[in-house]
């Protein structure tokens, strides 16, 4: 059995079930058995980075223990096996996103590198002075700063699509920003700070009508909803491994084949070349043109195992489960006085962003941690949207496949302690 | 709850809720801005520094109870202090909250006693920067030339 297929066979058959068996899911995640500060771990920070199931951990360990070598180089058995497993993982990403061709999947270090790759390579070649780049106000810094760097280099202009008070994407306002000058629209599929799921099909249709390309930041989105890049007709789609229950330092960029073909390399080095001489260097074909240097071999194979894992559970089933937990969290948090919620759009991922009136999010986070409850406190690397609401940060609980009603109960009990302490 | 009670002592909650010396004092001639990029907290420190002495000091900014209380208490303690006295106190305060014992030299023991309420921070390593941001910023304000600091 290969390392890459161990995960498949280790998994149970979830077909035929309508809902997630959350206790069985929890049993897959070894870390959930530990205690923090003498309390059972209540992990509510999957939107920052999800925990890893045994299937992913075992796959990565299996690569190193039995099938590790550098890829695309050696002519020996182990290198051939490692290459096959690495490329099989690429195929898993392709099927996960329903890309037309496996060469449209570029492995990266994560969402940030995927976006930087497009901004630097595609942007560097096709974006000129006076061209416009449209972002939304609720982007993660990783989908803002690469475009600012590009704008600084080229003289392009950044336009920012606003949101409603509940965090909903304002399609009308967005449409007003589009013009023939718009070169690319780069927006999130699901906001990490508010949870808002954006109307991606309409966003793409309106951008294409003006001749603009669209990059979707799917770091949160791909975790909560099935993605079909062909159906969306999206030009670039970005995923990260670590939020998808996969290893950190892994990710992928989907790009339409003709776009990737027309783009110059992002980094130079080994693997991305066909032939090097001091007169002229010929670049490799996509996706290898964008994969300079030895990649995260075991990690990318682990990402493939993570995709197997979530596919087996069913993204739809995970999403339905998370929606149920979020609804319960809304219900329970209403019992605590003076809580302000941020991000209550009708379409949203399982993110509960809030402020406890009069108490700074970091103080909330520290009290919760003492109760074993891990949440994110701060600006969530999305300062423009914090400014939009006139706040410096929120406390954010985010729910994954392994979270339960009991987790929500522990969150609410810990928030009661915040009130007790701070009055 | 006991470690939390030690961290969030009543005096800290009081200073956090109602910070003293909040605002820019008249005649301020030194100032600096401090950032904690980790949480987005910001602080501005304003000092009227004359004849080698802190004649007046105030601050503005937003932050957690720890950072606000630390800034507030610092401004109270520094009134009338020399730059050298501030630096000695900063060293001792840093040791107090970071849990090390590197500092040497004479320190105003009364002032340090007042700061003891912040000692609970040493049980919470992630929060040490909250407690020291105002102090780093004060340090920059007194150092002519430096006017911007970050905890990172």
């Amino acid at each position: 059995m290969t390392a890459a297929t161990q995960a498949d066979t280790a998994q149970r058959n979830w077909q035929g079930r309508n809902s997630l068996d959350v206790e069985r899911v929890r049993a897959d995640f070894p870390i959930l058995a530990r205690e923090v500060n003498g309390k059972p771990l209540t992990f509510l920070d999957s939107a920052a980075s999800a925990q890893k199931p045994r299937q992913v951990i075992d796959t990565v360990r299996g690569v190193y223990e039995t099938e590790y070598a550098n890829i695309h180089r050696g002519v020996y058995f182990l290198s051939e096996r490692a290459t096959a497993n690495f490329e099989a993982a690429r195929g898993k990403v392709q099927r996960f996103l329903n890309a037309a061709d496996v060469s449209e999947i570029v492995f990266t270090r994560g969402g940030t590198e995927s976006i930087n790759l497009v901004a630097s390579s595609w942007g560097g070649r096709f974006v000129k002075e006076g061209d416009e780049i449209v972002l939304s106000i609720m982007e993660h810094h990783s989908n803002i700063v690469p475009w600012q760097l590009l704008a600084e280099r080229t003289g392009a202009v950044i336009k920012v699509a606003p949101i409603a008070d509940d965090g909903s994407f304002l399609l009308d306002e967005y449409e007003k920003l589009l013009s023939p000058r718009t070169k690319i629209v780069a927006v999130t599929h699901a906001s990490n700070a508010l949870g808002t799921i954006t109307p991606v099909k309409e966003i793409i249709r309106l951008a294409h009508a003006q001749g603009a390309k669209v990059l979707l930041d799917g770091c949160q989105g791909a975790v909560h909803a099935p993605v079909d890049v062909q159906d969306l007709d999206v030009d670039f789609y970005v995923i990260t491994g670590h939020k998808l229950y996969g290893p950190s330092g892994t990710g992928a960029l989907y790009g339409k084949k003709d776009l990737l073909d027309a783009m110059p390399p992002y980094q130079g080095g080994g693997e991305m070349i066909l032939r090097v001489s001091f007169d002229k260097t010929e670049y490799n074909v996509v996706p290898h043109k964008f994969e300079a240097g030895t990649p995260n071999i075991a990690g990318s194979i682990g990402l493939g195992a993570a995709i197997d894992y979530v596919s087996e559970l069913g993204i739809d089933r995970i999403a339905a489960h998370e929606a149920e937990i979020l609804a319960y969290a809304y219900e329970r948090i209403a019992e605590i006085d003076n809580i302000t919620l941020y991000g209550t759009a009708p379409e949203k991922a399982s993110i509960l962003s809030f402020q406890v009136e009069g108490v700074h999010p970091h103080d909330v986070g520290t009290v919760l941690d003492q109760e074993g409850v891990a949440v994110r406190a701060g600006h969530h690397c999305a300062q423009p949207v914090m400014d939009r609401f006139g706040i410096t940060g929120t406390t954010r609980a985010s729910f994954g496949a392994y979270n339960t009603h009991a987790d929500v109960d522990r969150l609410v009990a810990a928030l009661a302690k915040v009130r007790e302490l701070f009055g | 709850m006991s470690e939390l009670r030690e961290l969030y002592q009543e005096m800290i909650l009081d200073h956090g809720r109602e910070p003293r010396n909040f605002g820019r004092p008249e005649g301020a001639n030194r100032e600096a801005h401090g950032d904690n990029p980790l949480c987005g907290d910001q602080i501005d420190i304003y000092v009227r520094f004359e004849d080698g002495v802190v004649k007046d000091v105030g601050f503005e900014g937003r932050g957690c109870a720890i950072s606000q209380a630390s800034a507030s208490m610092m401004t109270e303690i520094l009134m009338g202090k020399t730059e050298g006295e501030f630096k000695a106190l900063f060293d001792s305060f840093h040791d107090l909250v970071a849990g090390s014992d590197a500092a040497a030299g004479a320190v105003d023991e009364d002032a340090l006693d007042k700061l003891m309420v912040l000692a609970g921070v040493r049980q919470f390593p992630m929060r040490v920067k909250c407690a020291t941001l105002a102090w780093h910023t004060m340090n920059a304000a007194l150092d002519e030339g430096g006017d911007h600091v970050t905890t990172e």
Side-chain angles (χ1 to χ4, degrees):
Chain A
M1 194 190 308
T2 68
T5 56
Q6 262 171 12
D8 306 67
T9 51
Q11 278 164 8
R12 293 65 29 98
N13 183 8
W14 288 88
Q15 307 306 317
R17 275 192 67 94
N18 291 323
S19 60
L20 213 56
D21 182 346
V22 68
E23 287 310 318
R24 284 176 69 183
V25 172
R26 289 182 68 81
D28 289 333
F29 290 80
I31 205 168
L32 297 180
R34 69 159 294 167
E35 292 191 341
V36 168
N37 292 321
K39 309 277 169 57
L41 169 63
T42 302
F43 189 76
L44 301 178
D45 199 21
S46 299
S49 201
Q51 297 298 346
K52 317 305 173 197
R54 200 178 295 283
Q55 289 82 342
V56 169
I57 298 166
D58 288 350
T59 297
V60 172
R61 197 179 53 230
V63 170
Y64 286 126
E65 285 183 351
T66 63
E67 298 199 313
Y68 183 77
N70 210 334
I71 57 169
H72 297 137
R73 283 161 179 77
V75 294
Y76 52 92
F77 174 79
L78 279 182
S79 177
E80 186 273 318
R81 289 308 310 150
T83 303
N85 290 336
F86 183 79
E87 290 304 324
R90 195 191 305 276
K92 290 174 185 185
V93 177
Q94 179 207 350
R95 287 190 292 283
F96 183 64
L97 299 176
N98 195 35
D101 193 283
V102 72
S103 69
E104 295 177 317
I105 305 299
V106 180
F107 277 125
T108 66
R109 284 190 294 131
T112 298
E113 189 176 50
S114 297
I115 297 169
N116 274 279
L117 193 164
V118 176
S120 174
S121 168
W122 184 87
R125 174 152 293 179
F126 297 105
V127 173
K128 306 283 181 243
E129 189 176 353
D131 285 347
E132 292 177 358
I133 299 162
V134 174
L135 311 176
S136 93
I137 197 163
M138 60 184 160
E139 296 312 310
H140 189 280
H141 295 163
S142 62
N143 199 27
I144 297 174
V145 183
W147 303 109
Q148 288 177 323
L149 291 170
L150 175 66
E152 272 175 33
R153 274 200 309 276
T154 59
V157 178
I158 290 175
K159 301 268 177 179
V160 183
I163 54 172
D165 287 342
D166 71 353
S168 295
F169 187 85
L170 293 168
L171 213 46
D172 292 352
E173 297 298 317
Y174 158 75
E175 188 174 6
K176 288 181 200 159
L177 298 177
L178 299 173
S179 78
R181 288 186 303 279
T182 312
K183 268 289 189 202
I184 189 163
V185 171
V187 294
T188 189
H189 189 172
S191 156
N192 73 308
L194 305 174
T196 309
I197 293 175
T198 53
V200 286
K201 270 203 131 163
E202 282 301 290
I203 288 171
I204 293 163
R205 191 183 61 78
L206 292 167
H208 283 174
Q210 298 287 352
K213 305 297 180 209
V214 177
L215 174 143
L216 289 181
D217 172 0
C219 289
Q220 301 287 343
V223 185
H224 301 289
V227 176
D228 182 334
V229 291
Q230 294 185 78
D231 180 55
L232 289 173
D233 193 26
V234 68
D235 301 289
F236 299 104
Y237 195 92
V238 169
I239 64 167
T240 191
H242 71 96
K243 294 189 206 290
L244 203 54
Y245 311 99
S248 61
T250 68
L253 168 70
Y254 160 80
K256 283 181 180 167
K257 183 77 161 42
D258 59 325
L259 295 175
L260 293 179
D261 279 337
M263 286 159 57
Y266 170 54
Q267 293 180 328
E271 173 74 33
M272 52 76 69
I273 46 82
L274 286 179
R275 184 181 146 59
V276 174
S277 76
F278 284 108
D279 294 330
K280 178 172 170 49
T281 290
E282 289 175 60
Y283 305 128
N284 206 336
V285 296
V286 295
H288 310 293
K289 180 169 74 177
F290 298 110
E291 294 179 357
T294 297
N296 187 345
I297 298 167
S300 299
I301 295 169
L303 170 58
I307 285 173
D308 284 341
Y309 183 75
V310 296
S311 302
E312 194 85 25
L313 297 186
I315 286 278
D316 278 329
R317 272 190 290 257
I318 294 173
H321 169 73
E322 290 171 351
E324 187 193 320
I325 299 296
L326 180 66
Y328 181 63
Y330 274 137
E331 192 186 306
R332 289 294 324 270
I333 204 166
E335 294 168 19
I336 308 282
D337 289 338
N338 301 320
I339 297 271
T340 311
L341 297 176
Y342 292 91
T344 51
E347 290 290 316
K348 65 172 287 184
S350 50
I351 282 169
L352 186 74
S353 218
F354 60 91
Q355 277 201 335
V356 183
E357 194 181 299
V359 189
H360 190 278
H362 269 195
D363 295 319
V364 175
T366 292
V367 178
L368 264 50
D369 182 49
Q370 288 301 295
E371 300 300 313
V373 179
V375 294
R376 178 83 188 267
H379 54 59
H380 317 300
C381 297
Q383 282 179 319
V385 78
M386 296 293 118
D387 292 342
R388 155 69 176 76
F389 288 105
I391 55 179
T392 55
T394 69
T395 304
R396 181 190 70 186
S398 52
F399 307 105
Y402 37 62
N403 288 119
T404 62
H405 291 77
D407 288 333
V408 174
D409 293 338
R410 282 194 283 267
L411 168 67
V412 170
L415 285 173
K417 295 226 160 135
V418 173
R419 273 275 154 258
E420 194 185 314
L421 200 61
F422 287 87
Chain B
M1 278 305 252
S2 65
E3 276 190 347
L4 277 179
R5 289 271 179 220
E6 195 165 317
L7 178 66
Y8 293 112
Q9 295 190 30
E10 194 46 50
M11 192 184 291
I12 290 179
L13 295 179
D14 178 54
H15 275 267
R17 273 192 292 261
E18 286 172 45
R20 324 294 198 261
N21 303 310
F22 198 84
R24 186 194 176 104
E26 220 160 285
N29 55 5
R30 300 276 179 92
E31 62 182 80
H33 178 80
D35 270 313
N36 184 344
L38 208 69
C39 57
D41 285 353
Q42 300 188 0
I43 192 168
D44 287 288
I45 301 265
Y46 309 102
V47 191
R48 184 157 66 86
F49 192 68
E50 286 166 3
D51 310 322
V53 172
V54 174
K55 298 279 189 184
D56 205 351
V57 53
F59 77 102
E60 288 174 345
R62 292 199 287 186
C64 61
I66 306 297
S67 76
Q68 295 289 289
S70 178
S72 172
M73 294 173 71
M74 179 190 78
T75 58
E76 282 195 325
I77 283 166
L78 291 189
M79 296 287 184
K81 292 273 190 291
T82 66
E83 188 170 353
E85 286 168 333
F86 160 71
K87 297 217 172 196
L89 262 175
F90 184 13
D91 283 346
S92 300
F93 177 68
H94 195 275
D95 292 345
L96 180 72
V97 295
S100 57
D101 300 298
V107 182
D108 179 337
E109 294 294 340
D110 282 353
L112 201 55
D113 273 355
K114 285 181 192 152
L115 294 171
M116 281 304 289
V117 296
L118 283 157
V121 172
R122 67 164 66 193
Q123 302 300 328
F124 297 85
M126 299 293 284
R127 306 302 300 278
V128 171
K129 285 172 178 172
C130 308
T132 55
L133 177 62
W135 292 77
H136 282 290
T137 310
M138 181 71 193
N139 197 40
L142 291 181
D143 276 344
E144 280 178 296
D147 63 353
H148 187 266
V149 295
T150 136
T151 56
E152 294 306 296

